[in-house]
Amino acid sequence: MATNGVTVSWYLPPWAYEDPSRSEVDPHHLPVALVDVELFRYFEDVVDPLVGPGDGLDGDGFVLAYFCAVTCRPFADREVPDAPVHPVLTVQVGSGDETVCHDPAELAALIARLRTHTDYLDQHVHPAFTAIHDDWEVHHRTVAKPPP
């Protein structure tokens, strides 16, 4: 809501972790405030990294853990392709491009980590992302389609 009483509203989906609502926005900054609105949800239940010990370590010796995130910027600048106005899923599977296996046991460990990650994607993320997309389609506003 702008200080001059102008209000812009949108559907807040149940999957969004935070309510991005703001009040007391300067009317001149309202377009910028809208472009900055981001709806998000993280999936962080699988924390084991895909890389093995010594692979892909950052400066502090940590391996970036696997995660998934759904993001949506409903008022994004339509000229910027990286700012989706519909929910998109980003899956990060590791910090490096490769994992070196020194013996069959390390390969077996990598396979187990990959299986854990794909099982999680299949059993948890895929159904949730499908529900998010279905929910968005039902509530998405367009010029031709008013809100329900």
Side-chain angles (χ1 to χ4, degrees), residues 31-53:
V32 174
L34 289 174
V35 167
D36 287 343
V37 169
E38 182 176 52
L39 306 172
F40 64 90
R41 174 185 176 178
Y42 296 114
F43 296 91
E44 299 176 294
D45 293 342
V46 175
V47 295
D48 293 333
L50 290 179
V51 296

Side-chain angles (χ1 to χ4, degrees), residues 15-18 38-42 69-72:
W15 52 265
Y17 277 171
E18 294 180 4
E38 182 176 52
L39 306 172
F40 64 90
R41 174 185 176 178
Y42 296 114
V70 174
T71 56
C72 177

Side-chain angles (χ1 to χ4, degrees), residues 2-70:
T3 55
N4 65 358
V6 172
T7 301
V8 178
S9 63
W10 190 262
Y11 170 68
L12 180 62
W15 52 265
Y17 277 171
E18 294 180 4
D19 182 345
S21 300
R22 291 179 53 193
S23 59
E24 302 300 319
V25 175
D26 182 305
H28 295 95
H29 294 134
L30 187 58
V32 174
L34 289 174
V35 167
D36 287 343
V37 169
E38 182 176 52
L39 306 172
F40 64 90
R41 174 185 176 178
Y42 296 114
F43 296 91
E44 299 176 294
D45 293 342
V46 175
V47 295
D48 293 333
L50 290 179
V51 296
D55 291 335
L57 298 177
D58 69 14
D60 295 324
F62 294 103
V63 177
L64 187 59
Y66 161 95
F67 77 95
C68 296
V70 174

